Amino acid sequence: MKKILICSLMAAAAFTTGCTKKFDELKIDTNRPESVPPSLVLSGVENDFTQGAWTLAHRWNQFSNCNYNYYGNQEYNWTNVSFNPYNTLKNIGKMEQEAAKIAAAQNPYSALGKFFRAFFYYDLTMRVGDLPMNEAVKGLEVSTPKYNTQKEVFVQVLKWLEEANSDMAALITAGDRTLAGDYYYNNDLRKWQKAINAFKLRVLIALSKKEADTDLAIKQKFAATLADAAKYPLFTSMADNLQYVYNSTFNKYPTNPDNFGFDATRYNTSATYLNNLVALQDPRTFVTAEPAAKRVAGGAAPNSFAAFLGASSGEDLADMSSKAGNGEYSFINRKRYYSTYTAEPNIQIGYPEMCFNIAEAINRGWITGDAESWYKKGLSASISFYGIVNGNNTVYFQKPGGTLNDYNTYVINYDENAYYNQASVKYAGNTAAGLNQILLQKYLAFFQNSGWEAYYNWRRTGVPTFLIGPGTGNSQRIAKRFLYPTSEIATNKANLQEALQRQFTGGVDDINADIWVIK
């Protein structure tokens, strides 16, 4: 009997062990990898980072208009923002974890992780205001994260950028070559270090209304960055741009031969953008837009500024549609933007913007220097982006009603000195008028690139004048921010309400309310 009992116990133990082993094995999903190369995660992060051309953001930047309601409108009736960037922030943490398995604690992925964190938090806080940050992206550990103030977010963003620059410098000195999967700079850490510091200048300029805040020390940080080129290398030309290059297979330019027949006449240039170019007698007019057919029929030469007219973003959409169909407005330049799958690179952080930011800082008295020199560098670089050279230039305009390859060729002459010496263009000195020139030229340089920056700069400065009317909705106002996600109301209501009470009168989540950064 004793032998039988022992045998039974042994059999039960063996059965239990076998079942446990099989159960543990069954828990493993062999179709889902437990580890991935950090380079693969980096590529995904960079994809989320990219802000392309011809998006709603650029319509709200008032660069172009949709003149047909099937494809959209110009209304600023903004609703709830998406917190999807927090998913990317989780992936940044995963990228760093995977990198730590194969490299030293200080590695290019951790340095880039700090830059990307800074970018995503900056871009998201600029859309809504206060954000979950210190307690965010912690999963079940903190399911209802508290909101940090927007000031706290900016303090941390600047800290991450400082650390990212220092880390990159150390890695470059050590000759680190472990970065892979970077399709922006092909794993070149020196170029990334320049981009990090150029972005830092963007963030500091965005805080211009807080220049007296000693915690932020904006002027001091800006001056320190410009004073030490060895410690804080910056862009030196257009070759340094952090830009997305489209290809003809997987990542096509948003407007391309595939959709020419659908929407090529559904988008015209905005008056905010085009009419400012025309007023400045600017050669970018002829590259980014087409002459209005009705003006040409009325006798205006297609390669003259008199032939171009943008539509107000505030115009009633039905009126705009009718007038665009009658040839009264300039379409976007269809030859440039529809005839290939690659069109032009999309700048995320660029040399022209950096030059104008430095010129603005000098104009504001943050640093000493020659504002006019930086202003001229930014202007020249932006014009060169379109292949415009001093002298004769060939330009192309689609024929009205023509097919994709049915266009006319014209010649325009660009005299750099004559253009710059116009009273409206030549820098007026470190005055309010000079500042307006810098801000306007920076806006023009943002055309179809750099995501929301044109709007953010307008919201901060009021330059240029954004046009309003029935077409912009929102009781003919330009919205100042987005609403918080509805998911926050459902899952994090107490912390959200606390943040709203702290920021806005009556704690109202209002798209027309001013956030801290512009107060």
Side-chain angles (χ1 to χ4, degrees):
M1 184 70 182
K2 186 176 181 179
K3 288 183 179 180
I4 294 173
L5 178 60
I6 292 172
C7 289
S8 298
L9 290 172
M10 290 176 65
F15 177 78
T16 302
T17 303
C19 287
T20 301
K21 182 178 179 182
K22 288 180 180 178
F23 180 73
D24 289 339
E25 290 175 350
L26 287 172
K27 288 195 299 182
I28 299 172
D29 185 350
T30 56
N31 293 317
R32 298 180 64 185
E34 294 183 348
S35 182
V36 295
S39 58
L40 187 61
V41 187
L42 173 61
S43 296
V45 170
E46 290 187 350
N47 184 66
D48 294 344
F49 162 78
T50 303
Q51 297 181 323
W54 305 106
T55 63
L56 275 172
H58 289 297
R59 211 178 297 162
W60 289 323
N61 287 337
Q62 298 204 357
F63 288 140
S64 61
N65 294 324
C66 179
N67 58 47
Y68 187 58
N69 61 7
Y70 179 84
Y71 293 97
N73 55 52
Q74 284 66 248
E75 294 181 1
Y76 289 86
N77 296 320
W78 294 352
T79 55
N80 306 87
V81 78
S82 168
F83 267 7
N84 281 342
Y86 282 101
N87 293 326
T88 307
L89 289 164
K90 292 177 184 177
N91 289 338
I92 291 168
K94 183 64 176 176
M95 176 183 73
E96 294 169 331
Q97 292 172 14
E98 296 298 331
K101 296 177 183 178
I102 60 173
Q106 187 181 66
N107 60 72
Y109 297 101
S110 66
L112 282 179
K114 292 172 181 176
F115 163 74
F116 284 121
R117 277 195 184 87
F119 177 86
F120 283 109
Y121 273 109
Y122 163 82
D123 199 48
L124 197 50
T125 194
M126 289 290 273
R127 299 192 199 189
V128 293
D130 292 2
L131 284 176
M133 183 182 65
N134 291 347
E135 295 184 356
V137 201
K138 293 190 175 182
L140 295 177
E141 182 183 342
V142 183
S143 58
T144 55
K146 293 182 179 179
Y147 280 64
N148 286 87
T149 66
Q150 189 169 53
K151 176 179 175 177
E152 290 171 338
V153 173
F154 270 102
V155 168
Q156 182 60 60
V157 163
L158 290 169
K159 184 174 183 290
W160 276 322
L161 293 173
E162 183 70 24
E163 292 173 352
N165 174 70
S166 297
D167 291 352
M168 281 294 182
L171 292 164
I172 291 167
T173 300
D176 191 291
R177 295 289 186 274
T178 59
L179 186 67
D182 165 36
Y183 56 73
Y184 267 102
Y185 282 138
N186 194 27
N187 311 310
D188 189 329
L189 302 190
R190 293 182 186 276
K191 289 185 176 181
W192 270 112
Q193 189 182 15
K194 291 181 180 181
I196 289 166
N197 291 317
F199 179 68
K200 176 183 173 184
L201 298 187
R202 173 190 287 183
V203 175
L204 291 170
I205 281 291
L207 290 162
S208 65
K209 290 183 177 293
K210 308 297 178 182
E211 63 176 67
D213 191 311
T214 55
D215 295 329
L216 294 166
I218 302 159
K219 293 186 286 187
Q220 293 86 341
K221 287 183 172 70
F222 206 106
T225 303
L226 267 292
D228 194 341
K231 183 177 181 181
Y232 300 105
L234 290 164
F235 293 156
T236 57
S237 72
M238 293 292 279
D240 290 327
N241 286 343
L242 181 61
Q243 62 184 22
Y244 184 85
V245 179
Y246 292 93
N247 62 59
S248 59
T249 52
F250 301 109
N251 298 298
K252 301 174 182 178
Y253 195 76
T255 55
N256 60 64
D258 293 344
N259 51 29
F260 176 84
F262 295 97
D263 59 18
T265 60
R266 301 307 184 189
Y267 299 104
N268 45 260
T269 46
S270 167
T272 308
Y273 172 72
L274 182 59
N275 292 3
N276 269 301
L277 285 179
V278 170
L280 296 171
Q281 302 283 283
D282 193 295
R284 288 171 288 187
T285 300
F286 304 106
V287 181
T288 59
E290 292 177 3
K294 192 169 183 178
R295 290 198 162 199
V296 173
N303 56 346
S304 70
F305 291 106
F308 291 79
L309 181 67
S312 169
S313 298
E315 186 172 30
D316 178 80
L317 188 58
D319 291 342
M320 184 188 297
S321 180
S322 175
K323 291 176 182 177
N326 290 335
E328 295 183 39
Y329 294 136
S330 296
F331 291 122
I332 65 174
N333 192 311
R334 291 170 291 175
K335 172 63 170 64
R336 180 177 183 85
Y337 295 114
Y338 277 92
S339 62
T340 73
Y341 293 102
T342 54
E344 64 193 29
N346 189 263
I347 299 170
Q348 309 300 310
I349 303 170
Y351 176 69
E353 177 199 355
M354 187 200 77
C355 293
F356 291 127
N357 285 341
I358 295 171
E360 181 179 343
I362 297 171
N363 179 287
R364 291 182 180 278
W366 293 5
I367 56 175
T368 59
D370 186 349
E372 183 176 26
S373 175
W374 285 106
Y375 169 74
K376 290 178 72 173
K377 287 178 183 177
L379 180 54
S380 177
S382 178
I383 291 173
S384 73
F385 175 78
Y386 298 99
I388 300 169
V389 299
N390 204 31
N392 289 333
N393 297 264
T394 302
V395 293
Y396 308 92
F397 303 134
Q398 201 81 37
K399 292 180 181 178
T403 62
L404 180 60
N405 296 311
D406 195 8
Y407 56 87
N408 292 319
T409 303
Y410 299 92
V411 173
I412 61 164
N413 181 269
Y414 170 57
D415 185 323
E416 186 175 11
N417 289 329
Y419 170 70
Y420 184 75
N421 285 322
Q422 297 178 94
S424 58
V425 178
K426 186 175 177 60
Y427 186 58
N430 296 338
T431 62
L435 179 59
N436 281 350
Q437 289 174 312
I438 293 168
L439 296 171
L440 176 58
Q441 289 292 351
K442 179 160 59 168
Y443 170 80
L444 297 174
F446 278 139
F447 182 71
Q448 298 304 327
N449 69 71
S450 302
W452 287 84
E453 281 308 303
Y455 165 78
Y456 294 156
N457 275 263
W458 166 83
R459 186 179 61 182
R460 175 176 65 92
T461 68
V463 179
T465 300
F466 272 22
L467 302 176
I468 56 173
T472 48
N474 189 32
S475 300
Q476 300 190 27
R477 293 173 292 179
I478 306 296
K480 298 291 186 67
R481 57 182 292 276
F482 282 87
L483 304 180
Y484 286 103
T486 54
S487 59
E488 285 293 282
I489 300 171
T491 63
N492 197 18
K493 187 175 182 179
N495 288 320
L496 172 60
Q497 288 182 330
E498 180 186 16
L500 289 170
Q501 288 291 341
R502 184 169 61 221
Q503 295 177 88
F504 310 119
T505 302
V508 178
D509 197 2
D510 181 5
I511 64 173
N512 297 302
D514 287 342
I515 55 178
W516 171 85
V517 73
I518 58 171
K519 288 181 179 178

